[in-house]
Amino acid sequence: MIDNLEYNTEREHLIIPEYGRHMQKMINYAKSLETKEERNKVAKGIIAVMGNMQPHLRDVPDFQHKLWDQMFIMSNFELDADSPYEIPTKEIYEERPEPLKYPQNFPKYRFYGNNIKTMIDVANTWEEGELKEALTYTIANHMKKCFLNWNKDTVEDAVIFDHLFELSGGKLNLKDSKEDLTDSSSLLRSKNKFSNNNNKKGHHHKKNSNNRQRKRY
């Protein structure tokens, strides 16, 4: 009796394990049938069983299409049967998707984030004037704050102006500006103040929670 035992490592590989080994055997049986009429009949029965195994998906659009595709995939694309949908091919199934493009346009200035580049692109489209100048200084101050988040020391305004000039393609130039950006210590102080307020709020919430528990019990 022990000699008849089967180990999973010795069994056929399951292409879609969620359906189990019996479903795989049914599909293999359908592949072995001689006439297409018999294969079509068994294939429809297999689809019905697969659908019963996932009743919560019956109302999902294209659910039947998905079942037929899965059946052909589990047959290793060797089942010669008619389908109400386009039969998938092994080449399409194994085709690799196109690699995703990394959204960062300037990887050496990652600490500024992608939103800065979007703001700069918008500023480049504005007409020269006070509004554009104000927006440019706002962007530069935000860049300085982002830089300090990355390097918690200090940064000269000239460095920010150089980066802004480069990221804007030379269209936003503050290199000759006589107006200073917000002081580094002020930016760091405002950041620390915001962090401390959040910590206090979290502590206060926890304290109230403990009080409620004491009153309840």
Side-chain angles (χ1 to χ4, degrees):
M1 182 176 180
I2 296 178
D3 295 337
N4 295 326
L5 290 177
E6 287 184 327
Y7 294 94
N8 284 335
T9 54
E10 299 174 349
R11 292 176 173 178
E12 180 186 8
H13 170 69
L14 294 179
I15 299 176
I16 303 182
E18 290 80 356
Y19 285 107
R21 193 164 300 279
H22 292 295
M23 185 61 65
Q24 186 68 57
K25 289 182 177 179
M26 291 173 64
I27 294 174
N28 291 343
Y29 169 72
K31 287 164 52 177
S32 68
L33 296 175
E34 295 183 359
T35 65
K36 196 167 189 177
E37 183 180 355
E38 291 178 303
R39 292 194 295 271
N40 288 339
K41 184 177 180 180
V42 173
K44 291 179 180 179
I46 291 173
I47 293 296
V49 175
M50 292 172 66
N52 289 334
M53 294 175 68
Q54 303 184 66
H56 57 290
L57 296 177
R58 283 183 175 177
D59 297 330
V60 176
D62 295 331
F63 176 54
Q64 286 290 319
H65 192 172
K66 180 180 178 180
L67 292 180
W68 280 91
D69 285 350
Q70 288 179 334
M71 182 181 67
F72 284 111
I73 291 171
M74 292 171 67
S75 72
N76 199 25
F77 306 94
E78 297 172 353
L79 176 60
D80 182 15
D82 295 327
S83 170
Y85 309 98
E86 183 178 355
I87 299 177
T89 62
K90 192 171 186 177
E91 290 72 23
I92 295 177
Y93 177 69
E94 294 180 346
E95 185 179 13
R96 288 191 173 189
E98 291 292 330
L100 294 175
K101 294 182 179 180
Y102 190 68
Q104 178 58 262
N105 295 324
F106 295 89
K108 65 178 181 179
Y109 299 138
R110 286 195 298 267
F111 45 86
Y112 288 134
N114 291 325
N115 289 335
I116 283 291
K117 187 62 174 67
T118 302
M119 294 169 65
I120 291 174
D121 291 341
V122 171
N124 283 338
T125 64
W126 285 20
E127 295 182 359
E128 297 296 331
E130 294 183 359
L131 287 177
K132 183 175 182 177
E133 184 179 0
L135 177 59
T136 302
Y137 275 101
T138 299
I139 294 172
N141 273 310
H142 192 61
M143 289 174 63
K144 187 173 183 178
K145 185 175 181 181
C146 292
F147 190 102
L148 292 172
N149 287 336
W150 169 68
N151 180 9
K152 299 180 181 179
D153 187 10
T154 186
V155 59
E156 297 293 333
D157 289 354
V159 174
I160 301 299
F161 294 157
D162 287 341
H163 291 175
L164 177 62
F165 184 81
E166 180 181 351
L167 294 175
S168 66
K171 295 181 180 180
L172 301 180
N173 187 1
L174 296 178
K175 292 183 179 183
D176 299 328
S177 174
K178 297 180 180 180
E179 184 175 343
D180 295 331
L181 298 178
T182 304
D183 186 71
S184 298
S185 58
S186 299
L187 291 173
L188 290 172
R189 187 164 56 248
S190 63
K191 178 190 173 187
N192 292 334
K193 183 178 178 181
F194 178 77
S195 299
N196 291 334
N197 287 337
N198 283 342
N199 292 335
K200 288 179 181 179
K201 289 179 181 179
H203 179 73
H204 180 69
H205 176 75
K206 186 176 181 180
K207 184 176 179 181
N208 290 340
S209 177
N210 291 335
N211 289 337
R212 286 197 297 270
Q213 286 183 348
R214 284 198 293 271
K215 289 179 181 180
R216 187 179 302 167
Y217 297 106

